[in-house]
Amino acid sequence: MTTIPPVANKDRLTGLDSSFLHLERDSAHMHVAGCSVFAGSAPPYDDLVAAIESRLHLVPRYRQRLAFVPLGQGRPVWVDDPHFNLRYHVRHTALPRPGGEAELKRLAGRVFSQALDRSRPLWELWLVEGLAGGRFAVLSKTHHALVDGISGVDIATVLFDTSPDPLPVAAPDQEWDARPLPSRAQLLADALLERATVPAEAARGIRATLRGPRTVARRAGRALGSVSALAWTGLQAAPPSPFNQRIGPHRRFTWVRADLARFKAIKNSLGGTVNDVVLAAVAGALGSYMRLHGRQTDGVDLKAMVPVSVRADVERGALGNRVAAMWATLPVGQADPVARLHTVSEAMVGVKQSGQAVGAEILTAVSGFAPPTIMAQAARLQARQRLFNLVVTNVPGPQFPLYLLGRELEAIYPMVPLAENTALGIAILSYNGQLNFGLVGDFDALADLEVLADELRSSIDELASAAGVPVAAPAGGSPRASTRQARAAR
């Protein structure tokens, strides 16, 4: 008789997924979020609920909540929520008049300030009516333990349509019925059994990733070098900045809408990659903002934590996190936009050659075998240290229009969660020719977040001007003078 070797519970969180639970505090909420703006009048709430319900079988995690192992003896597992109520997760509200972007941004900030209830499935959607111009919005929140940026984009393509008149979604094979909840004793027994039996398989898996004809030593050496590069870079303390303060639970949220083709044109003219141009624009905005607040920036390089997807194409659509981290240098003291871009580009080439992302992926895999108590302490230690000044994450989205009940999605503005002692996060998402920046800040620490958004627009304009790329025109208006020019005129 063939013996089937034990394997890890497919519903158990990975070490990386679990770390986002450990990082969460009353002041630091670990959900990713987004504000989506649609053309046309808002659909009736009941129609939206029905549309989402017809597709929930495509994302079964949306009907599941966390079950925690007693005594912290294992990572949590996903279990069916026997009390699942879709109308709790899909909510309905409206903007006060005049229903402009300012009102939508304030609402988004309030919604994104509220932590998700861990006793329920970790997601929410808010249907927002009353947006000026005959439009509506949808605010989305999903815990980082459930998705990373890439898989979150994949979920959007499942819940949304790719044409105004979509084909009907195939019904599930059988009606959903919640599986019985495991008892505390069962959760503990399963975790202990898995800990005792699975590590042997894990060790074989690690050996397999390094194994190859006559290449074991070479690959092992590269792996150790990558981990060393990550550790050395990560342990260098980030410089003091106005973006590293104790944070509270409340958030401000704003955005900058940009054109992907414009960034590509800058890249083609000045060199580097689109991501280099993004980081150079962010560095210029941060430097200007710091100088406006009387901070010296000469010779100052801020440190950004840049998540990098390591999700293979065959894994697209799967939930959970498949990300690693790299540390990017942001030369905020470099006033010349071309020199700033070249500095960023050269630094990112060095980062890639150092193998930081590979090292982070290896450590992420190893963390899956660390006891939960060690993972929790490591997450708390990381949150207390000033290892980076801010998070800048750039996620590729679908380059075709999406629709919700026949209404076209005009724009998506993403939000990345704030870590403890980090008052600013910048998320970038490309969609259908756009490259949109979502800026989230602590409500008290960054009361003038809109000023930073203005400086980001000006920084993008500076790079475009240096590259000979025409100045962008805002929607429905003529080309806008840069913020610095307008300030000088006053």
Side-chain angles (χ1 to χ4, degrees):
M1 183 177 68
T2 302
T3 301
I4 300 176
V7 295
N9 183 351
K10 63 182 179 61
D11 291 321
R12 191 175 303 284
L13 269 67
T14 66
L16 180 58
D17 294 342
S18 185
S19 70
F20 290 110
L21 297 175
H22 297 311
L23 284 170
E24 197 159 43
R25 301 287 182 277
D26 291 339
S27 59
H29 319 306
M30 287 293 113
H31 50 256
V32 294
C35 175
S36 302
V37 176
F38 293 84
S41 59
Y45 172 72
D46 288 342
D47 290 357
L48 177 61
V49 171
I52 294 174
E53 187 170 27
S54 71
R55 303 182 183 211
L56 272 180
H57 63 285
L58 302 176
V59 280
R61 283 279 188 260
Y62 272 33
R63 282 192 175 112
Q64 294 182 314
R65 63 176 178 83
L66 292 174
F68 293 88
V69 177
L71 307 177
Q73 293 302 302
R75 298 188 300 278
V77 295
W78 296 106
V79 297
D80 290 349
D81 182 5
H83 307 294
F84 178 76
N85 183 343
L86 183 56
R87 290 176 183 269
Y88 171 86
H89 296 276
V90 182
R91 305 183 179 190
H92 191 193
T93 189
L95 295 174
R97 293 181 178 178
E101 284 196 349
E103 287 75 27
L104 180 57
K105 290 173 181 177
R106 281 197 292 270
L107 174 63
R110 287 196 295 271
V111 170
F112 297 162
S113 298
Q114 302 166 9
L116 291 163
D117 185 350
R118 289 194 183 184
S119 69
R120 297 175 180 270
L122 296 176
W123 66 278
E124 292 175 6
L125 285 179
W126 292 65
L127 174 63
V128 182
E129 295 194 51
L131 185 59
R135 300 171 298 161
F136 70 98
V138 172
L139 304 179
S140 59
K141 291 166 54 179
T142 309
H143 202 285
H144 217 324
L146 180 58
V147 297
D148 58 27
I150 297 293
S151 66
V153 170
D154 289 338
I155 289 173
T157 59
V158 168
L159 294 180
F160 297 148
D161 302 313
T162 56
S163 70
D165 301 308
L167 294 173
V169 177
D173 295 335
Q174 59 184 25
E175 187 175 349
W176 181 79
D177 188 24
R179 294 172 295 180
L181 289 175
S183 66
R184 287 173 55 84
Q186 183 180 348
L187 288 168
L188 180 59
D190 288 348
L192 294 177
L193 177 63
E194 187 175 322
R195 183 185 298 179
T197 57
V198 172
E201 291 298 309
R204 280 193 286 272
I206 292 176
R207 289 198 301 272
T209 63
L210 300 175
R211 188 166 50 232
R214 296 181 301 277
T215 63
V216 173
R218 184 172 71 253
R219 292 189 181 184
R222 281 206 301 263
L224 290 173
S226 299
V227 172
S228 299
L230 176 73
W232 174 253
T233 307
L235 290 176
Q236 307 304 304
S241 83
F243 314 113
N244 297 106
Q245 305 181 34
R246 291 182 62 86
I247 63 172
H250 305 297
R251 302 287 177 264
R252 296 179 189 270
F253 183 68
T254 188
W255 53 75
V256 172
R257 184 168 179 170
D259 185 356
L260 178 59
R262 197 170 183 225
F263 278 78
K264 290 180 178 179
I266 295 171
K267 178 261 297 184
N268 292 338
S269 174
L270 301 180
T273 67
V274 168
N275 196 56
D276 293 341
V277 179
V278 166
L279 292 175
V282 169
L286 297 178
S288 262
Y289 179 87
M290 292 172 66
R291 290 187 288 274
L292 284 174
H293 287 76
R295 302 292 287 260
Q296 294 294 324
T297 61
D298 292 345
V300 174
D301 292 338
L302 295 188
K303 191 174 174 184
M305 195 273 276
V306 181
V308 178
S309 175
V310 293
R311 186 179 298 275
D313 288 342
V314 294
E315 297 175 302
R316 291 189 66 88
L319 300 185
N321 287 273
R322 293 286 287 122
V323 294
M326 294 195 302
W327 310 105
T329 298
L330 301 180
V332 298
Q334 177 57 264
D336 180 77
V338 177
R340 187 168 61 245
L341 173 58
H342 290 165
T343 299
V344 167
S345 184
E346 291 170 6
M348 291 306 294
V349 169
V351 165
K352 293 168 185 174
Q353 290 176 347
S354 73
Q356 282 187 37
V358 176
E361 185 178 7
I362 292 171
L363 291 180
T364 295
V366 171
S367 73
F369 314 121
T373 50
I374 294 178
M375 286 292 296
Q377 293 302 321
R380 293 189 182 100
L381 177 63
Q382 175 179 324
R384 286 197 297 269
Q385 301 303 310
R386 195 178 70 239
L387 301 182
F388 53 89
N389 297 107
L390 74 159
V391 174
V392 181
T393 179
N394 189 356
V395 177
Q399 294 307 304
F400 47 84
L402 297 176
Y403 300 84
L404 180 64
L405 295 176
R407 286 85 166 170
E408 183 175 354
L409 174 61
E410 289 187 342
I412 313 176
Y413 306 107
M415 190 215 78
V416 63
L418 297 182
E420 196 171 5
N421 299 326
T422 307
L424 173 67
I426 301 179
I428 305 100
L429 177 67
S430 60
Y431 162 68
N432 196 29
Q434 303 168 20
L435 191 69
N436 295 335
F437 295 71
L439 285 69
V440 62
D442 177 77
F443 190 87
D444 297 312
L446 291 178
D448 57 351
L449 188 64
E450 288 292 348
V451 172
L452 179 58
D454 284 341
E455 293 301 329
L456 179 56
R457 294 183 185 96
S458 294
S459 183
I460 296 170
D461 284 349
E462 274 189 335
L463 284 163
S465 177
V469 177
V471 173
S478 58
R480 172 187 56 81
S482 75
T483 303
R484 294 189 189 90
Q485 292 171 338
R487 187 179 295 115
R490 291 196 296 270

